[in-house]
Amino acid sequence: MQTTWKGTISFGLVSIPVHLYSATQEHDVPLHQVHAKDGGRVRMKRYCEREEKEVPYAEIAKGYESPDGRTVTLSDDDLADLPLPSKKIIDVLAFVDATEIDPLMFSKAYYVGVADKAAAKPYALLRDALVESGQIAVTKIALRTRESPAVLRVHDGTLVLQTCIWPDEVRPAAGIAPEENVTVRPQELKMARSLMDTLSEDFDLSQLHDDYQQALQQVITARLEGVEVPHEEEAGEAPDNVIDLMEALRSSLKQAKGGRATGAGPGGAEEPDVEKPAPRKRAAAKRTTASKTADSKAAAAKTTAAKTGAGKKGSSEKKTTTRKPTAPRRAS
């Protein structure tokens, strides 16, 4: 892996010689500019307006034009000799909880590796301290022609330097969200949470892939082989506004569950009944009716039992009264 930056992490009086390596890479399909008429390659030439001729890359420098039209030329040596403390040092300024840094500020990530064997122990010390505390280190670093705030954190047992933009470079969000007072009903919020839980079941971020790159590669392959370019069926237009939010949530929940009945929520739980209080009233009425019926049956049973008992008693007395006495046996 190619080294991007060489320097030292300054952690109090502890110095850790390190190298930075790009932690990410993009896999875009490389496309060039060509002449649409004949496919000829179109190249950008470095052209000097004053001399009206092309100049080689070795003669290119950076310049700044002031508001009054004056131009200042800066060479690579001028930029390399800037009096900047963070030019070769990653100075740890503080340790904070990760939640204190807005993810909106994060930029590019770099793996941090040791420059020599002597740096292994202080490297491990800083790494383990970050893991144990659950915090990240706030630093500053100068990369190429820009100084940036950055954070040091741990990923898979390796220190990662994540550059950030400055706080005043984050644009305010005022006026973006709806300004009118919108009321969300508890039933709608409950249904939305149910949809969120269903969509999150068995989700694996590593299984995501770049559909655009795959489709573009199919088109390029078809053109190279001289066959018909594949076409995707056009999807229906999405509605421009939601008339019935609850119905849209129900339909989304049903679709997320793969067409299963909406009566079952995530994990087999019953979907919240959000707008149907009537069944509960009918259930209560059924319970009342059933209770009355049970009471009536119990009373009838008692009456029947009483009559039956009385009938049996009378019958027993009648039998006792009408029975003739048996004469005693004589001794032989």
Side-chain angles (χ1 to χ4, degrees), residues 126-128 130-131 136 152-160:
L126 177 58
R127 178 194 61 195
D128 295 348
L130 290 175
V131 171
I136 59 177
L152 281 170
R153 56 189 181 86
V154 180
H155 172 75
D156 286 345
T158 304
L159 287 177
V160 173

Side-chain angles (χ1 to χ4, degrees), residues 27-84:
H27 45 65
D28 295 337
V29 176
L31 298 177
H32 306 292
Q33 290 185 331
V34 298
H35 189 190
K37 180 179 179 180
D38 53 19
R41 182 74 177 268
V42 176
R43 299 182 183 273
M44 299 298 177
K45 295 184 177 182
R46 299 173 179 85
Y47 184 81
C48 177
E49 296 179 349
R50 182 168 298 180
E51 296 184 4
E52 296 183 349
K53 67 176 184 179
E54 185 179 357
V55 296
Y57 181 77
E59 297 181 9
I60 304 296
K62 291 181 173 59
Y64 173 80
E65 184 176 355
S66 64
D68 58 5
R70 292 179 298 166
T71 299
V72 176
T73 302
L74 299 173
S75 66
D76 292 340
D77 293 337
D78 293 332
L79 298 176
D81 294 336
L82 288 176
L84 198 61

Side-chain angles (χ1 to χ4, degrees), residues 47-293:
Y47 184 81
C48 177
E49 296 179 349
R50 182 168 298 180
E51 296 184 4
E52 296 183 349
K53 67 176 184 179
E54 185 179 357
V55 296
Y57 181 77
E59 297 181 9
I60 304 296
K62 291 181 173 59
Y64 173 80
E65 184 176 355
S66 64
D68 58 5
R70 292 179 298 166
T71 299
V72 176
T73 302
L74 299 173
S75 66
D76 292 340
D77 293 337
D78 293 332
L79 298 176
D81 294 336
L82 288 176
L84 198 61
S86 61
K87 185 171 56 177
K88 289 295 180 181
I89 296 177
I90 303 173
D91 190 15
V92 176
L93 305 175
F95 294 89
V96 300
D97 293 333
T99 55
E100 294 188 29
I101 306 295
D102 191 334
L104 195 63
M105 297 177 60
F106 288 147
S107 184
K108 190 171 178 57
Y110 298 89
Y111 288 132
V112 181
V114 294
D116 51 47
K117 293 183 178 180
K121 187 168 184 178
Y123 180 101
L125 174 63
L126 177 58
R127 178 194 61 195
D128 295 348
L130 290 175
V131 171
E132 184 176 344
S133 66
Q135 294 180 313
I136 59 177
V138 180
T139 71
K140 286 200 308 181
I141 185 174
L143 287 171
R144 300 181 179 90
T145 60
R146 175 181 173 86
E147 183 184 48
S148 304
V151 297
L152 281 170
R153 56 189 181 86
V154 180
H155 172 75
D156 286 345
T158 304
L159 287 177
V160 173
L161 180 94
Q162 187 107 34
T163 60
C164 304
I165 61 174
W166 296 100
D168 59 358
E169 292 179 324
V170 178
R171 294 178 176 177
I176 304 298
E179 296 183 358
E180 61 270 17
N181 187 15
V182 179
T183 302
V184 177
R185 294 182 298 167
Q187 300 94 326
E188 295 168 340
L189 184 59
K190 194 172 185 179
M191 182 69 77
R193 290 296 304 272
S194 181
L195 175 59
M196 291 166 59
D197 292 339
T198 301
L199 292 175
S200 302
E201 290 179 357
D202 301 326
F203 175 74
D204 185 1
L205 184 62
S206 64
Q207 297 301 317
L208 294 181
H209 60 278
D210 190 345
D211 292 328
Y212 180 86
Q213 181 193 16
Q214 182 178 355
L216 178 59
Q217 191 62 56
Q218 290 177 353
V219 172
I220 293 174
T221 302
R223 289 289 173 84
L224 290 173
E225 297 178 353
V227 298
E228 184 179 356
V229 176
H231 296 282
E232 185 74 17
E233 294 183 3
E234 294 185 1
E237 294 184 359
D240 55 356
N241 62 340
V242 179
I243 304 301
D244 190 342
L245 181 58
M246 286 303 301
E247 185 59 33
L249 287 170
R250 287 195 186 94
S251 299
S252 301
L253 187 58
K254 183 176 181 181
Q255 183 179 8
K257 292 176 181 177
R260 289 180 292 154
T262 55
E270 185 177 354
E271 179 185 333
D273 188 2
V274 293
E275 284 191 338
K276 295 182 180 180
R280 291 195 291 271
K281 292 183 179 179
R282 288 198 295 270
K286 288 182 180 179
R287 288 196 297 269
T288 304
T289 303
S291 178
K292 289 182 179 180
T293 303

